[in-house]
């Protein structure tokens, strides 16, 4: 049991780290003139191809008779759950189109308290004192790590709205990762969830299509976005959340914040103050608190 929780923490943490790189890549692609539809479509198309190859490799290595076959209902519910994955990517990418990455990641990190509240509602139990304290620390650290206290928050309301919707969608994704068809491999579940997400993304691309599509996005940014947005994170989260639960998984996934801030510092040239680094340390401290509690 203890080893399973530690394993889940590591997997969720790595998945969140991958997600933390996305906002910077998206911002860079926007600067080169690519649209949200081009960014999301290339990410999901290449992601689907990658997961199809991974599943084919697993079947060949294990033998088709040793691979659990999903039922029709498994596929349906995983695809349905995957729509939240597509909505999260879409909402988040639309958010950072209108607001800075630092504000966008703050809004996405609202999944911390949303996840704990959702777990409390589902289990019909009040969160433990340690979990409440950890959430408070994460929220305080989030404000510091994004330099929120020193910013003039006259942000575009469209970005704020999209950011909050992204947080709600991501919370739903974490819930479904913990509950739907957990007997299947993470690669299988990720593939079907990505198919569901692709329906949302392709629908958005068709709705906003202007008659042109820059195919250069596939080689320029699509590979990076698919790896760190639709292949690596879903597989790791699907494998990790069943071991951590929603509350602990939500806290561990906050690693996305310091990674996002660091990426913005390195690739976008955003300055990171001492206050921001202190906020990152607070978040890591909260993660440690939660892990100690989980081990017990």
């Amino acid at each position: 049991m203890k080893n399973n929780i530690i394993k889940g923490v590591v997997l969720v943490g790595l998945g969140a780290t991958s997600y933390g790189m996305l906002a910077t890549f998206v911002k860079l692609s926007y600067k080169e003139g690519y649209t949200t539809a081009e960014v999301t479509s290339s990410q999901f198309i290449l992601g689907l191809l990658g997961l199809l190859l991974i599943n084919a490799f697993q079947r060949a290595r294990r033998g088709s008779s040793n691979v659990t076959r999903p039922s029709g209902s498994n596929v349906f519910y995983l695809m349905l759950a995957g729509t939240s994955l597509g909505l999260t990517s879409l909402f988040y990418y639309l958010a950072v189109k209108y607001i800075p990455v630092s504000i966008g990641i703050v809004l996405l990190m609202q999944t911390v308290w949303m996840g704990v509240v959702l777990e409390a509602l589902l289990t019909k139990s009040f969160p433990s004192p340690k979990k409440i304290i950890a959430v408070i620390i994460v929220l305080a650290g989030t404000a510091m790590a994004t330099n929120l206290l020193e910013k003039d928050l006259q942000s575009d309301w469209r970005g704020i709205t999209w950011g909050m919707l992204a947080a709600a969608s991501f919370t739903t994704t974490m819930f479904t990762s913990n509950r739907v068809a957990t007997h299947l491999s993470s690669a299988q579940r990720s593939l079907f969830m990505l198919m569901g997400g692709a329906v949302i993304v392709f629908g958005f691309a068709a709705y906003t299509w202007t008659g042109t599509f820059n195919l250069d996005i596939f080689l320029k940014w699509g590979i990076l976005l698919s790896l760190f947005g639709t292949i690596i994170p879903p597989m790791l989260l699907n494998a990790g959340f069943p071991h951590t639960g929603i509350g602990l998984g939500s806290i561990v996934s906050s690693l996305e914040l310091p990674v996002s801030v660091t990426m913005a510092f390195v690739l976008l040239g955003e300055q990171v103050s001492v206050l921001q680094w202190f906020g990152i340390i607070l978040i890591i401290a909260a993660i440690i608190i939660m892990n100690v509690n989980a081990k017990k």
Side-chain angles (χ1 to χ4, degrees):
M1 180 65 179
K2 182 188 297 184
N3 290 336
N4 286 339
I5 293 176
I6 295 174
K7 177 183 177 182
V9 166
V10 172
L11 291 173
V12 173
L14 290 175
T17 298
S18 298
Y19 271 138
M21 302 179 182
L22 285 179
T24 297
F25 294 152
V26 172
K27 273 285 189 183
L28 290 172
S29 66
Y30 283 160
K31 287 183 177 181
E32 296 183 5
Y34 295 108
T35 66
T36 303
E38 290 168 346
V39 169
T40 53
S41 295
S42 64
Q43 175 184 331
F44 273 72
I45 289 173
L46 293 178
L48 283 170
L49 291 175
L51 284 173
L52 282 170
L53 290 174
I54 291 172
N55 277 276
F57 174 76
Q58 288 187 348
R59 285 195 299 271
R61 188 183 65 176
R62 299 177 184 176
S64 58
S65 60
N66 294 324
V67 175
T68 304
R69 294 182 179 276
S71 64
S73 61
N74 290 154
V75 174
F76 173 76
Y77 285 115
L78 283 170
M79 289 186 66
L80 183 62
T83 58
S84 66
L85 188 66
L87 288 171
T88 299
S89 296
L90 193 58
F91 291 156
Y92 189 41
Y93 295 174
L94 286 170
V96 297
K97 184 177 182 178
Y98 298 109
I99 58 179
V101 170
S102 60
I103 301 300
I105 194 65
V106 167
L107 297 175
L108 190 63
M109 282 299 102
Q110 302 312 300
T111 54
V112 173
W113 63 264
M114 289 182 181
V116 173
V117 170
L118 180 59
E119 184 180 49
L121 292 174
L122 292 175
T123 60
K124 296 180 181 180
S125 60
F126 197 77
S128 66
K130 276 194 174 183
K131 190 169 290 185
I132 294 174
I133 293 172
V135 168
I136 294 172
I137 294 175
V138 166
L139 292 176
T142 296
M144 295 178 185
T146 55
N147 215 12
L148 183 63
L149 301 178
E150 298 179 7
K151 284 187 178 291
D152 179 13
L153 289 181
Q154 296 180 353
S155 298
D156 194 312
W157 65 268
R158 291 172 296 182
I160 294 174
T161 301
W162 289 126
M164 290 301 293
L165 288 173
S169 296
F170 192 39
T171 303
T172 304
T173 300
M174 291 189 292
F175 166 72
T176 54
S177 295
N178 191 45
R179 297 296 183 90
V180 180
T182 55
H183 64 286
L184 299 177
S185 70
S186 60
Q188 287 175 301
R189 298 173 70 236
S190 297
L191 174 62
F192 295 125
M193 288 183 71
L194 197 58
M195 287 180 178
V199 173
I200 300 296
V201 168
F202 296 158
F204 172 80
Y207 179 75
T208 59
W209 192 51
T210 59
T212 60
F213 190 98
N214 192 343
L215 296 176
D216 291 342
I217 186 69
F218 284 96
L219 293 178
K220 192 63 182 290
W221 293 107
I223 295 175
L224 282 176
L225 292 171
S226 62
L227 281 174
F228 294 102
T230 53
I231 297 178
I232 297 174
M235 288 185 63
L236 294 177
L237 293 177
N238 280 331
F241 266 98
H243 299 303
T244 63
I246 298 175
L248 176 57
S250 298
I251 300 297
V252 176
S253 66
S254 65
L255 274 173
E256 180 178 348
L257 176 60
V259 171
S260 185
V261 172
T262 302
M263 289 292 291
F265 170 74
V266 174
L267 296 182
L268 297 178
E270 294 185 4
Q271 296 302 309
V272 184
S273 67
V274 174
L275 182 65
Q276 287 176 286
W277 287 119
F278 183 70
I280 292 173
I281 293 173
L282 280 181
I283 293 172
I284 295 174
I287 294 171
I288 293 173
I289 290 173
M290 291 300 298
N291 290 340
V292 170
N293 183 57
K295 290 177 183 178
K296 290 182 179 181

